[in-house]
Protein backbone atom coordinates (compact mmCIF):
# COMPACT_ATOMS: atom_id res chain seq x y z
CA UNK A 1 0.00 0.00 0.00
CA UNK A 2 1.49 3.34 -1.03
CA UNK A 3 2.25 5.93 1.63
CA UNK A 4 -0.08 8.93 1.67
CA UNK A 5 1.68 12.15 0.67
CA UNK A 6 0.51 15.37 2.34
CA UNK A 7 -0.02 18.05 -0.31
CA UNK A 8 -0.99 20.94 1.98
CA UNK A 9 1.19 20.63 5.11
CA UNK A 10 1.59 23.65 7.36
CA UNK A 11 5.34 24.17 7.62
CA UNK A 12 6.92 26.15 10.44
CA UNK A 13 7.84 28.97 8.06
CA UNK A 14 4.30 29.17 6.70
CA UNK A 15 2.94 29.11 10.27
CA UNK A 16 5.23 31.98 11.31
CA UNK A 17 4.23 34.05 8.27
CA UNK A 18 0.55 33.51 9.12
CA UNK A 19 1.17 34.64 12.71
CA UNK A 20 3.18 37.61 11.43
CA UNK A 21 0.20 38.81 9.40
CA UNK A 22 -1.94 38.89 12.55
CA UNK A 23 0.54 41.08 14.47
CA UNK A 24 0.30 44.81 13.60
CA UNK A 25 3.72 46.34 13.06
CA UNK A 26 5.48 43.02 12.45
CA UNK A 27 8.43 43.39 10.09
CA UNK A 28 9.35 39.74 9.53
CA UNK A 29 12.62 40.12 11.44
CA UNK A 30 11.65 37.53 14.07
CA UNK A 31 10.54 35.11 11.36
CA UNK A 32 13.94 35.42 9.67
CA UNK A 33 15.73 34.89 12.98
CA UNK A 34 13.68 31.79 13.83
CA UNK A 35 14.27 30.35 10.35
CA UNK A 36 18.04 30.65 10.90
CA UNK A 37 17.65 29.04 14.30
CA UNK A 38 15.75 26.15 12.69
CA UNK A 39 18.61 25.68 10.24
CA UNK A 40 20.96 25.22 13.19
CA UNK A 41 18.51 22.76 14.79
CA UNK A 42 18.33 20.68 11.59
CA UNK A 43 22.12 20.61 11.32
CA UNK A 44 22.41 19.49 14.97
CA UNK A 45 19.77 16.79 14.41
CA UNK A 46 21.81 15.46 11.50
CA UNK A 47 25.01 15.53 13.57
CA UNK A 48 23.34 13.70 16.49
CA UNK A 49 22.24 10.89 14.17
CA UNK A 50 25.74 10.59 12.69
CA UNK A 51 27.64 11.09 15.95
CA UNK A 52 28.97 7.54 16.23
CA UNK A 53 30.07 7.34 12.60
CA UNK A 54 31.53 10.88 12.56
CA UNK A 55 33.43 10.30 15.85
CA UNK A 56 31.50 13.02 17.69
CA UNK A 57 31.13 11.08 20.94
CA UNK A 58 33.41 11.77 23.88
CA UNK A 59 34.79 14.79 25.72
CA UNK A 60 36.24 17.79 23.89
CA UNK A 61 38.67 18.54 26.74
CA UNK A 62 37.14 21.81 27.96
CA UNK A 63 34.45 22.97 30.42
CA UNK A 64 31.46 25.26 29.92
CA UNK A 65 30.37 28.16 32.15
CA UNK A 66 28.65 25.83 34.65
CA UNK A 67 31.70 23.61 35.05
CA UNK A 68 30.38 20.72 32.95
CA UNK A 69 32.79 18.82 30.73
CA UNK A 70 32.10 19.85 27.14
CA UNK A 71 31.37 17.05 24.70
CA UNK A 72 32.37 17.20 21.04
CA UNK A 73 28.72 17.59 20.06
CA UNK A 74 28.38 20.44 22.62
CA UNK A 75 31.07 22.38 20.82
CA UNK A 76 29.65 21.64 17.35
CA UNK A 77 26.11 22.60 18.40
CA UNK A 78 27.33 25.84 19.96
CA UNK A 79 29.29 26.74 16.83
CA UNK A 80 26.21 26.11 14.68
CA UNK A 81 23.98 28.31 16.85
CA UNK A 82 26.54 31.11 17.01
CA UNK A 83 27.40 31.06 13.31
CA UNK A 84 23.80 30.90 12.11
CA UNK A 85 22.49 33.58 14.47
CA UNK A 86 25.39 36.03 14.29
CA UNK A 87 25.26 36.36 10.51
CA UNK A 88 21.51 36.52 9.86
CA UNK A 89 21.28 40.28 10.48
CA UNK A 90 18.56 40.00 13.15
CA UNK A 91 20.48 39.40 16.41
CA UNK A 92 22.60 41.86 18.38
CA UNK A 93 23.77 39.67 21.27
CA UNK A 94 24.01 35.91 21.93
CA UNK A 95 24.11 34.34 25.38
CA UNK A 96 25.23 30.71 25.37
CA UNK A 97 25.72 28.30 28.27
CA UNK A 98 28.92 27.25 26.53
CA UNK A 99 30.49 30.73 26.52
CA UNK A 100 31.70 32.59 29.60
CA UNK A 101 30.86 36.02 28.17
CA UNK A 102 28.07 37.34 25.92
CA UNK A 103 28.78 37.37 22.19
CA UNK A 104 28.23 40.83 20.71
CA UNK A 105 27.28 40.58 17.04
CA UNK A 106 29.43 42.78 14.74
CA UNK A 107 27.71 46.05 13.92
CA UNK A 108 27.35 45.26 10.22
CA UNK A 109 25.26 42.16 11.07
CA UNK A 110 23.49 43.57 14.11
CA UNK A 111 19.70 43.40 14.52
CA UNK A 112 17.37 44.00 17.45
CA UNK A 113 17.07 40.57 19.09
CA UNK A 114 18.99 38.96 21.95
CA UNK A 115 19.08 35.15 21.84
CA UNK A 116 19.80 33.09 24.96
CA UNK A 117 20.39 29.38 24.49
CA UNK A 118 21.76 26.08 25.65
CA UNK A 119 22.80 24.56 22.30
CA UNK A 120 22.76 20.96 23.54
CA UNK A 121 21.07 20.17 26.84
CA UNK A 122 21.63 16.74 28.39
CA UNK A 123 24.96 16.20 26.68
CA UNK A 124 26.07 13.81 29.45
CA UNK A 125 23.58 11.38 27.85
CA UNK A 126 25.06 11.63 24.36
CA UNK A 127 27.26 8.55 24.57
CA UNK A 128 24.40 6.28 25.70
CA UNK A 129 21.99 7.39 22.93
CA UNK A 130 19.42 9.04 25.23
CA UNK A 131 17.23 11.87 23.88
CA UNK A 132 18.85 15.31 24.15
CA UNK A 133 17.78 18.80 23.07
CA UNK A 134 18.36 22.50 22.52
CA UNK A 135 16.73 25.34 24.50
CA UNK A 136 16.35 29.01 23.58
CA UNK A 137 14.66 32.26 24.54
CA UNK A 138 14.55 35.53 22.57
CA UNK A 139 14.27 39.11 23.85
CA UNK A 140 13.80 42.26 21.81
CA UNK A 141 16.30 45.00 22.59
CA UNK A 142 14.50 48.12 23.81
CA UNK A 143 17.37 50.54 24.46
CA UNK A 144 19.52 52.55 22.00
CA UNK A 145 23.22 51.92 21.49
CA UNK A 146 25.25 48.71 21.75
CA UNK A 147 23.68 45.78 23.68
CA UNK A 148 24.48 45.55 27.40
CA UNK A 149 23.75 43.07 30.19
CA UNK A 150 20.73 45.17 31.22
CA UNK A 151 19.15 44.30 27.87
CA UNK A 152 19.13 40.59 28.74
CA UNK A 153 18.73 40.51 32.54
CA UNK A 154 14.97 40.76 32.25
CA UNK A 155 12.02 38.61 33.39
CA UNK A 156 10.86 35.73 31.24
CA UNK A 157 7.52 37.44 30.76
CA UNK A 158 9.31 39.83 28.39
CA UNK A 159 10.47 37.09 26.03
CA UNK A 160 9.10 37.48 22.50
CA UNK A 161 9.71 33.82 21.71
CA UNK A 162 10.97 30.69 23.46
CA UNK A 163 11.18 27.01 22.73
CA UNK A 164 13.13 23.81 22.61
CA UNK A 165 14.17 21.14 20.12
CA UNK A 166 14.13 17.45 21.01
CA UNK A 167 16.48 15.02 19.24
CA UNK A 168 15.34 11.43 19.65
CA UNK A 169 13.59 8.87 17.45
CA UNK A 170 12.53 11.95 15.49
CA UNK A 171 13.25 15.67 15.76
CA UNK A 172 10.61 17.95 17.21
CA UNK A 173 10.46 21.68 17.95
CA UNK A 174 8.06 23.08 20.55
CA UNK A 175 7.89 26.87 20.61
CA UNK A 176 5.80 29.97 21.14
CA UNK A 177 5.84 33.50 19.79
CA UNK A 178 3.29 34.64 22.34
CA UNK A 179 0.16 33.14 20.75
CA UNK A 180 -0.05 29.63 22.15
CA UNK A 181 2.44 26.78 22.30
CA UNK A 182 2.79 24.61 19.20
CA UNK A 183 4.79 21.54 18.19
CA UNK A 184 6.47 20.93 14.84
CA UNK A 185 8.02 17.66 13.69
CA UNK A 186 10.85 17.43 11.17
CA UNK A 187 9.65 15.61 8.06
CA UNK A 188 12.78 13.99 6.55
CA UNK A 189 11.03 13.66 3.19
CA UNK A 190 10.82 17.43 2.67
CA UNK A 191 13.55 18.54 5.10
CA UNK A 192 11.24 20.93 6.96
CA UNK A 193 9.28 21.17 10.19
CA UNK A 194 5.52 20.71 9.88
CA UNK A 195 2.82 21.52 12.43
CA UNK A 196 1.81 18.32 14.23
CA UNK A 197 0.71 19.52 17.69
CA UNK A 198 -1.38 22.69 17.91
CA UNK A 199 -2.06 24.53 21.19
CA UNK A 200 -0.13 22.27 23.53
CA UNK A 201 -0.54 22.68 27.29
CA UNK A 202 0.41 21.04 30.57
CA UNK A 203 -2.38 19.23 32.39
CA UNK A 204 -3.44 20.59 35.78
CA UNK A 205 -2.67 17.20 37.28
CA UNK A 206 -0.68 14.25 36.00
CA UNK A 207 0.40 10.76 37.02
CA UNK A 208 4.17 11.10 36.66
CA UNK A 209 6.87 12.95 38.57
CA UNK A 210 10.39 13.50 37.27
CA UNK A 211 13.29 14.41 39.53
CA UNK A 212 16.84 13.43 40.38
CA UNK A 213 16.31 11.92 43.82
CA UNK A 214 20.05 11.64 44.29
CA UNK A 215 19.94 15.30 45.40
CA UNK A 216 17.13 14.81 47.94
CA UNK A 217 19.31 16.00 50.82
CA UNK A 218 19.62 19.43 49.15
CA UNK A 219 15.86 19.91 48.67
CA UNK A 220 13.75 22.43 50.52
CA UNK A 221 11.63 20.71 53.18
CA UNK A 222 8.43 21.70 51.38
CA UNK A 223 9.60 20.03 48.16
CA UNK A 224 10.56 16.90 50.07
CA UNK A 225 7.13 16.72 51.70
CA UNK A 226 5.36 17.18 48.36
CA UNK A 227 7.34 14.40 46.66
CA UNK A 228 6.71 12.10 49.61
CA UNK A 229 2.97 12.86 49.38
CA UNK A 230 2.76 11.69 45.76
CA UNK A 231 4.95 8.64 46.38
CA UNK A 232 3.06 7.60 49.52
CA UNK A 233 -0.48 8.96 49.08
CA UNK A 234 -3.32 8.46 51.54
CA UNK A 235 -5.32 5.24 51.44
CA UNK A 236 -7.41 4.86 48.28
CA UNK A 237 -5.18 6.98 46.03
CA UNK A 238 -2.59 5.67 43.59
CA UNK A 239 1.03 6.82 43.82
CA UNK A 240 2.62 8.77 40.97
CA UNK A 241 4.99 6.94 38.64
CA UNK A 242 8.63 8.05 38.45
CA UNK A 243 10.18 8.78 35.06
CA UNK A 244 13.57 10.52 34.94
CA UNK A 245 15.68 10.71 31.79
CA UNK A 246 18.24 13.31 32.90
CA UNK A 247 17.81 15.57 29.87
CA UNK A 248 15.67 18.58 30.75
CA UNK A 249 14.11 18.78 27.30
CA UNK A 250 13.11 15.11 27.27
CA UNK A 251 11.73 15.23 30.81
CA UNK A 252 9.76 18.44 30.21
CA UNK A 253 8.44 17.11 26.91
CA UNK A 254 7.13 13.93 28.59
Amino acid sequence: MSEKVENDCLTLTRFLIDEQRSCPGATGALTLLLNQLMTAVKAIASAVKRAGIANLYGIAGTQNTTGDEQKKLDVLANDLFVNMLSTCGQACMLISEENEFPIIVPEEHRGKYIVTFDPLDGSSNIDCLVSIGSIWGIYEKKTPGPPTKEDVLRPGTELVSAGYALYGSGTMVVMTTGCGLHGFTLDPNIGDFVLTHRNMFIKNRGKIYSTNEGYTKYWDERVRKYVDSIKFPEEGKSPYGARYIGSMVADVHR
Side-chain angles (χ1 to χ4, degrees):
M1 189 165 108
S2 61
E3 182 181 350
K4 181 181 177 182
V5 177
E6 177 63 60
N7 59 15
D8 191 29
C9 56
L10 185 56
T11 65
L12 177 54
T13 301
R14 181 178 162 190
F15 178 86
L16 290 172
I17 291 172
D18 287 346
E19 285 214 331
Q20 180 183 312
R21 291 195 186 101
S22 65
C23 297
T27 63
L30 182 60
T31 299
L32 289 172
L33 179 69
L34 289 170
N35 270 324
Q36 281 295 94
L37 198 153
M38 290 307 110
T39 301
V41 166
K42 284 187 268 190
I44 294 169
S46 176
V48 168
K49 288 183 178 180
R50 298 183 60 253
I53 297 172
N55 194 29
L56 291 174
Y57 290 147
I59 295 172
T62 53
Q63 292 183 332
N64 65 15
T65 57
T66 59
D68 297 327
E69 290 282 358
Q70 284 185 310
K71 308 287 186 176
K72 293 177 184 178
L73 270 174
D74 274 326
V75 176
L76 174 62
N78 192 55
D79 288 346
L80 283 165
F81 263 78
V82 171
N83 292 337
M84 292 297 177
L85 296 173
S86 62
T87 58
C88 69
Q90 309 305 327
C92 60
M93 181 163 64
L94 310 177
I95 312 292
S96 171
E97 189 196 28
E98 305 300 326
N99 294 87
E100 184 175 359
F101 300 105
I103 299 169
I104 307 300
V105 176
E107 195 168 353
E108 63 269 21
H109 295 300
R110 197 173 294 169
K112 62 179 180 179
Y113 292 108
I114 299 163
V115 188
T116 62
F117 55 90
D118 181 350
L120 204 61
D121 169 70
S123 57
S124 60
N125 289 323
I126 291 172
D127 294 359
C128 49
L129 305 180
V130 174
S131 296
I132 52 181
S134 301
I135 313 163
W136 63 86
I138 302 173
Y139 292 98
E140 183 177 354
K141 187 176 181 297
K142 298 292 187 180
T143 60
T148 64
K149 65 179 182 180
E150 285 72 26
D151 290 312
V152 71
L153 295 178
R154 294 152 59 187
T157 51
E158 294 184 18
L159 287 164
V160 296
S161 181
Y164 61 80
L166 177 65
Y167 313 110
S169 56
T171 300
M172 186 172 182
V173 163
V174 177
M175 61 175 288
T176 181
T177 55
C179 299
L181 182 70
H182 309 286
F184 303 83
T185 303
L186 182 62
D187 184 342
N189 292 320
I190 63 173
D192 209 347
F193 288 97
V194 296
L195 180 65
T196 51
H197 299 72
R198 189 185 288 273
N199 293 321
M200 300 172 68
F201 62 93
I202 299 175
K203 296 178 181 178
N204 291 330
R205 295 187 66 85
K207 298 180 180 178
I208 295 172
Y209 76 97
S210 179
T211 183
N212 186 346
E213 297 196 62
Y215 291 100
T216 303
K217 75 173 188 176
Y218 302 116
W219 292 357
D220 182 272
E221 183 61 25
R222 290 165 295 183
V223 174
R224 190 181 293 112
K225 285 182 177 179
Y226 170 72
V227 173
D228 283 344
S229 74
I230 60 177
K231 290 168 63 178
F232 308 102
E234 59 189 48
E235 194 67 32
K237 291 187 177 181
S238 299
Y240 277 43
R243 299 289 187 274
Y244 182 67
I245 298 170
S247 296
M248 192 216 81
V249 171
D251 284 314
V252 168
H253 189 73
R254 183 198 294 277

